[in-house]
Amino acid sequence: MFNPPRPQRQSVPLFVSRPDIRTGWFACLTFFVLVFSCIALAQTELREQPAKSDVGAAVRELSNVAQSQPVVQDPPQGQQLIRIVPFGRKSGSGIKQQAPVGAHLTYFGGPVISNIQVAVVFWGPSVAPAITANGTLDQFYTDITSSRYFDLLTEYTTAGITNSGGVTSNQTIGHGTFGGKFTITPSVCPGTAACSVTDAQIQTELTNQINNHVLPAPQTDVHGIINTYYAVYFPPNVTISLDATTKSCVSGGFCAYHSNTGSLVPYGVMPDFSAGGCSVQGACGSGTTLQIATGVSSHEMAEAITDAQVGSASVFGPPLAWYDNPPDLGEIADLCDPFDVTVNAGSNTYTVELLFSNVQNECASGPPVFSMPSPAGGAGPNIPFNMTLTIQNSEPAIITPVDYRGTVHFTSSDPGAVLPADYTFTAVDAGVHTFPFTLSILGNQPITVTDTRSSGFTGTTTVNVNTIPDLAIAKHHSGNFGRTQTGVYTITASNVGGGPTSGTVTVVDTLPIGMTAADMSGTGWNCTLNTLTCTRSDALAPENSYPPITLTVNVSTNTSTSETNVATISGGGETDTANDLVGDVTTIVDPGVDLGAAITPSQLFASQGDTGATYAISVVNGGSDASSGTVSLTTTLPAGLSATAINGTGWSCTLANLTCTRSDALGSALSYPVVAVTFSVALNAPLAVSSITTTVSGGGDIDSANNTVNTSLEINAFLGIFSGGATVTVNAGQPAQYVLGVFAAAAAGTVTFSCSGLPASASCSFNPPSINSNSVFVTMTVSTTARSAVVTGSHPGDRNLWLWLGVLSLAAMAGLSLKISTKPTRRRRLVPIFGTCIFLFAGILTGCGGGGGGTTTTTTLTGLGTPAGTYAITFTATSPNGSATRTMNLIVR
């Protein structure tokens, strides 16, 4: 072995050692490198074979997924549009006032049930006998599905009706049938013990029972939409949960609801009404168990028909069908809850809930009444006659005609009948229109009128075709009668029967107190002034009239402001006297000219920036005399308004001072043609209620008390948010939806939307993204991000190559120690050094995991999502001319 020469002994610095010592410290330094390498490796990702677990990669992957979720997602099918019959609905009666102001069902494009087939399902054998017995619910559904009550639903036929996007199911609603009653053995809550069932379990049970042929398979219409509706009734002691907080027969819960399964099978859920919370009088209705059940069942049946797939609807669009939104008032029966009435169906009387009718604009128990009274004396063969069709509300207490806009079709049993063509009612008709008819066959001949779209809207009139005369009398006058002045009445006698008159016809007039006859005469009539009687004997053919009788009267000073003059007719061979008397109501005023003004509409609404807004002014003479001389009309606008035009037929108008004049005479109780005023509203017009003042003068007017009229005008902002802003609570990772009503006048231009105040890892989107000159509901969706996730992975064992390097190093050091062990002096010097290194090597074994097996690591990924808390979110609508905001709360859990 080669040994270098030993150097001379000399002083050295403290940390410079001899060669043997240096050798020991070099070996120890090697151990230190191993220690730190092993520790670093223990904290570094392991390189594994593909398809093996990798915690680091899993964490990175989860992070990437969390950040790649779409900002805006459709909400899940949470059945948020399902409408319930609320617990505590109580029972009531009445009309009109029940429906919320402005109620109207809008078609959103979804399907309806064309011809419902009701399958009654009893949840086990313990359902109350009051509704399972024969002649109870089975008879109810048999009768009600072909009743007048049911006919109301036909107005919600979708054929020819589309939603705003042009979508329609193109279905016709007609009568339904009872499809049988079935007792199932459910897998959940099969017995009498108290238990709970969820809506999801109900859907699963229905599906299984249908698939197992216990329940009849659903039938479909020609469009493929399911007609079968499964009405499910539960026994006592079963609590039904629609969601975590909404339960049956408790405060804040429900009496019933309807929905559809994932396969679009419609069903209704009715808890027990014989015991427990739902049996309490006033909670879900009043009366017997069956009466409460039919009231609630009619609610759900009607809503299932008109909104068959509401359970699958997540937006206000298909598959939602008929629904009141805005402002989200609900379905056809929700608008009238909680008012029950009794109706006749078949030979029975049932308790049902009123349903909302768009046509009648009321809560109703049936379709509108098509009233078309037959001529009192009938009609002659092949002689034309008229009948007036009036569309009336189904509730008798409402006597005003319905503003009906449908199309009607006429049929008759008379093969020779000449009937009117199909006719579509207009706004001018206001629900009343007169039609001509001709019948040829003697006897009672029915004429039926039917709405061409809503088959349940129908009426029948029976006309007696005969050859018997029927006299009728009419009277009218012109203008107002002035005290101390004279007035004139005109009396007309007609034959509305089927044959000519024969013998003497007599007309007698009876004047009110304060009037005396001055003259009474008519061509062909023999009149006696003292008795106010006129007679004649010439025959009058059917559908013809005699020459009129003129009666002139003197009006005394003590006559009241309103008097009625009565006349009668008799004779001529008639047998029907129902139309032989007439009364004419007359207004009595002080003599002279009395001009007054009126503005239409009576209350005006406008928005900042509006142009082309109008109102109409009419001038009426309420006196007894015609006007004479110039009549002047002046109108004054409040601050912020400027007139752009003023004109009227026969008027001479000046825009600068908003004045119009004319000089032609205006007769008593008559009006001049209207004056139209067009105006604009400034963008900065005051947001307040003010008045438009109009004054009329001249023309010989003797009473100035009614010459000036003030009409209120309300100015609204050109851009505003009129509803919405409720607090929404979601879990991080779920979307929050807010529905806000936004009004944009024409002056607003294109309005876009934005939001502020969002928490971290959240964003907002809008549907629609912008609007232009309209009033809409905007859905703002705030998307949040999940905050954390737990990822579990495994570390493999015995894969650290540095451990084997450490073992080799130990072997090398062992050889070195053998070499120097022959020299006792050096051995003694290296003992502490090698002892320290061995101690450090033990640490290496521990830090590097030694030779143990693999380890499992659980990593919690935090800080990625939306933090929990309450946030004030500001919704902003922005137009070129300004903006509007509304702030609402978002609670993230």
Side-chain angles (χ1 to χ4, degrees):
M1 178 180 291
F2 173 76
N3 289 313
R6 181 177 296 178
Q8 298 290 325
R9 178 180 296 271
Q10 55 183 328
S11 297
V12 294
L14 180 62
F15 291 103
V16 176
S17 62
R18 293 182 177 87
D20 54 346
I21 297 177
R22 285 198 302 269
T23 301
W25 279 111
F26 175 80
C28 189
L29 180 61
T30 302
F31 273 69
F32 273 112
V33 171
L34 285 173
V35 169
F36 286 114
S37 298
C38 187
I39 293 174
L41 183 63
Q43 298 181 17
T44 304
E45 297 173 326
L46 301 179
R47 293 186 177 273
E48 301 179 2
Q49 299 176 12
K52 297 293 184 179
S53 176
D54 182 342
V55 175
V59 171
R60 288 195 303 274
E61 178 65 19
L62 182 60
S63 176
N64 292 336
V65 170
Q67 296 177 19
S68 65
Q69 291 296 320
V71 175
V72 180
Q73 301 182 54
D74 290 333
Q77 184 183 326
Q79 302 187 1
Q80 63 266 38
L81 292 176
I82 289 182
R83 303 299 295 208
I84 63 172
V85 176
F87 182 80
R89 64 190 290 264
K90 301 182 180 179
S91 181
S93 62
I95 50 174
K96 187 173 174 61
Q97 303 93 297
Q98 298 149 12
V101 175
H104 186 84
L105 292 172
T106 299
Y107 182 55
F108 286 94
V112 296
I113 297 179
S114 298
N115 299 96
I116 192 169
Q117 179 195 59
V118 182
V120 173
V121 180
F122 299 129
W123 194 272
S126 302
V127 178
I131 63 174
T132 61
N134 292 334
T136 56
L137 274 184
D138 51 352
Q139 192 63 50
F140 165 73
Y141 281 116
T142 299
D143 293 340
I144 208 69
T145 52
S146 58
S147 65
R148 286 286 291 165
Y149 172 79
F150 194 92
D151 285 340
L152 185 154
L153 300 173
T154 64
E155 76 171 87
Y156 297 107
T157 285
T158 63
I161 301 294
T162 59
N163 74 344
S164 58
V167 178
T168 181
S169 65
N170 200 35
Q171 296 170 271
T172 298
I173 296 177
H175 283 169
T177 57
F178 172 61
K181 54 184 181 180
F182 307 87
T183 300
I184 64 173
T185 302
S187 59
V188 181
C189 298
T192 58
C195 65
S196 297
V197 60
T198 66
D199 180 66
Q201 290 171 323
I202 293 172
Q203 292 192 35
T204 300
E205 192 68 53
L206 273 177
T207 301
N208 291 339
Q209 296 287 343
I210 293 171
N211 291 339
N212 293 332
H213 308 292
V214 177
L215 295 177
Q219 305 298 307
T220 60
D221 63 11
V222 295
H223 303 279
I225 304 302
I226 295 175
N227 271 331
T228 307
Y229 163 69
Y230 299 85
V232 186
Y233 294 83
F234 284 80
N237 299 320
V238 175
T239 298
I240 305 160
S241 299
L242 181 57
D243 54 40
T245 59
T246 310
K247 302 182 183 300
S248 60
C249 305
V250 295
S251 178
F254 60 86
C255 295
Y257 67 88
H258 79 101
S259 185
N260 60 270
T261 68
S263 54
L264 306 181
V265 174
Y267 66 94
V269 173
M270 271 66 67
D272 175 64
F273 302 111
S274 67
C278 284
S279 68
V280 176
Q281 293 295 294
C284 295
S286 296
T288 65
T289 297
L290 180 60
Q291 288 172 328
I292 297 174
T294 59
V296 171
S297 297
S298 64
H299 178 122
E300 300 305 341
M301 177 191 71
E303 292 187 342
I305 291 171
T306 55
D307 201 8
Q309 294 178 12
V310 62
S312 297
S314 58
V315 297
F316 290 109
L320 199 65
W322 292 98
Y323 196 93
D324 187 311
N325 186 73
D328 195 11
L329 296 177
E331 297 172 309
I332 187 172
D334 297 324
L335 299 178
C336 301
D337 196 67
F339 294 95
D340 290 342
V341 293
T342 56
V343 297
N344 295 321
S347 58
N348 299 295
T349 300
Y350 297 102
T351 296
V352 295
E353 181 160 346
L354 292 176
L355 305 176
F356 187 78
S357 167
N358 278 350
V359 171
Q360 300 173 74
N361 194 31
E362 311 284 358
C363 291
S365 60
V369 175
F370 281 25
S371 174
M372 190 170 61
S374 169
N382 300 310
I383 298 176
F385 64 95
N386 294 329
M387 289 193 296
T388 299
L389 173 61
T390 302
I391 314 300
Q392 298 175 330
N393 194 286
S394 61
E395 303 302 327
I398 302 178
I399 60 176
T400 55
V402 172
D403 185 16
Y404 172 74
R405 306 293 179 87
T407 300
V408 293
H409 175 75
F410 297 91
T411 58
S412 174
S413 61
D414 186 342
V418 179
L419 303 175
D422 289 359
Y423 178 79
T424 301
F425 278 69
T426 67
V428 175
D429 292 315
V432 181
H433 193 80
T434 300
F435 297 93
F437 301 88
T438 301
L439 297 174
S440 62
I441 307 298
L442 292 175
N444 290 329
Q445 302 296 339
I447 296 177
T448 299
V449 55
T450 305
D451 183 287
T452 57
R453 180 175 168 275
S454 303
S455 59
F457 291 14
T458 185
T460 299
T461 296
T462 299
V463 179
N464 179 254
V465 181
N466 60 69
T467 57
I468 302 172
D470 181 23
L471 294 174
I473 191 168
K475 174 187 282 189
H476 71 275
H477 70 279
S478 188
N480 299 326
F481 290 2
R483 296 181 178 91
T484 73
Q485 296 180 324
T486 61
V488 177
Y489 291 101
T490 300
I491 304 170
T492 304
S494 303
N495 180 5
V496 296
T501 62
S502 60
T504 301
V505 175
T506 301
V507 172
V508 178
D509 190 271
T510 304
L511 289 175
I513 296 175
M515 292 185 188
T516 58
D519 183 65
M520 187 176 190
S521 62
T523 302
W525 291 96
N526 298 311
C527 298
T528 302
L529 187 61
N530 291 338
T531 59
L532 296 179
T533 301
C534 296
T535 61
R536 65 190 303 154
S537 300
D538 51 321
L540 180 62
E543 298 299 314
N544 281 273
S545 299
Y546 286 123
I549 299 170
T550 300
L551 173 63
T552 303
V553 300
N554 295 317
V555 183
S556 67
T557 58
N558 63 349
T559 307
S560 65
T561 57
S562 180
E563 297 287 359
T564 302
N565 187 4
V566 176
T568 61
I569 191 170
S570 60
E574 71 166 351
T575 59
D576 184 359
T577 60
N579 53 350
D580 288 356
L581 182 145
V582 65
D584 187 8
V585 179
T586 308
T587 300
I588 311 299
V589 298
D590 291 331
V593 179
D594 184 13
L595 299 179
I599 294 180
T600 304
S602 58
Q603 187 174 12
L604 291 167
F605 298 90
S607 299
Q608 293 171 322
D610 275 357
T611 59
T614 63
Y615 61 93
I617 306 170
S618 57
V619 175
V620 62
N621 181 6
S624 62
D625 297 338
S627 66
S628 61
T630 302
V631 174
S632 297
L633 178 151
T634 301
T635 187
T636 304
L637 298 177
L641 272 65
S642 58
T644 57
I646 180 170
N647 53 71
T649 303
W651 292 91
S652 176
C653 300
T654 304
L655 182 61
N657 57 9
L658 294 181
T659 298
C660 297
T661 60
R662 65 190 303 156
S663 299
D664 51 321
L666 179 63
S668 172
L670 298 179
S671 300
Y672 284 128
V674 298
V675 172
V677 180
T678 305
F679 64 93
S680 298
V681 184
L683 273 172
N684 61 350
L687 300 177
V689 177
S690 56
S691 294
I692 294 175
T693 301
T694 301
T695 301
V696 63
S697 60
D701 182 76
I702 62 172
D703 183 5
S704 61
N706 59 344
N707 289 160
T708 300
V709 61
N710 291 309
T711 300
S712 68
L713 169 67
E714 182 177 337
I715 303 296
N716 298 304
F718 63 85
L719 177 63
I721 301 172
F722 58 83
S723 70
T727 297
V728 177
T729 301
V730 297
N731 294 324
Q734 294 180 336
Q737 285 195 333
Y738 301 85
V739 179
L740 301 105
V742 180
F743 167 75
T750 300
V751 179
T752 57
F753 310 110
S754 61
C755 71
S756 59
L758 292 175
S761 299
S763 61
C764 61
S765 60
F766 307 93
N767 183 27
S770 65
I771 62 174
N772 199 324
S773 301
N774 56 354
S775 179
V776 300
F777 280 80
V778 177
T779 299
M780 178 176 73
T781 301
V782 176
S783 297
T784 63
T785 306
R787 285 190 298 277
S788 63
V790 176
V791 181
T792 301
S794 59
H795 286 287
D798 298 328
R799 295 188 180 183
N800 193 344
L801 298 178
W802 288 98
L803 177 62
W804 301 110
L805 293 176
V807 172
L808 292 176
S809 299
L810 182 61
M813 292 181 62
L816 179 62
S817 63
L818 290 175
K819 176 181 177 181
I820 62 176
S821 62
T822 56
K823 300 179 179 180
T825 302
R826 291 183 178 180
R827 185 169 60 245
R828 285 193 301 269
R829 293 173 180 174
L830 293 177
V831 166
I833 296 175
F834 278 104
T836 301
C837 291
I838 292 171
F839 177 78
L840 291 176
F841 183 73
I844 291 174
L845 294 178
T846 302
C848 294
T855 61
T856 299
T857 302
T858 299
T859 302
T860 301
L861 181 66
T862 60
L864 288 177
T866 304
T870 300
Y871 303 92
I873 309 298
T874 299
F875 169 85
T876 301
T878 304
S879 84
N881 291 316
S883 62
T885 62
R886 176 158 294 197
T887 299
M888 59 219 75
N889 288 330
L890 169 65
I891 300 174
V892 181
R893 295 182 298 195

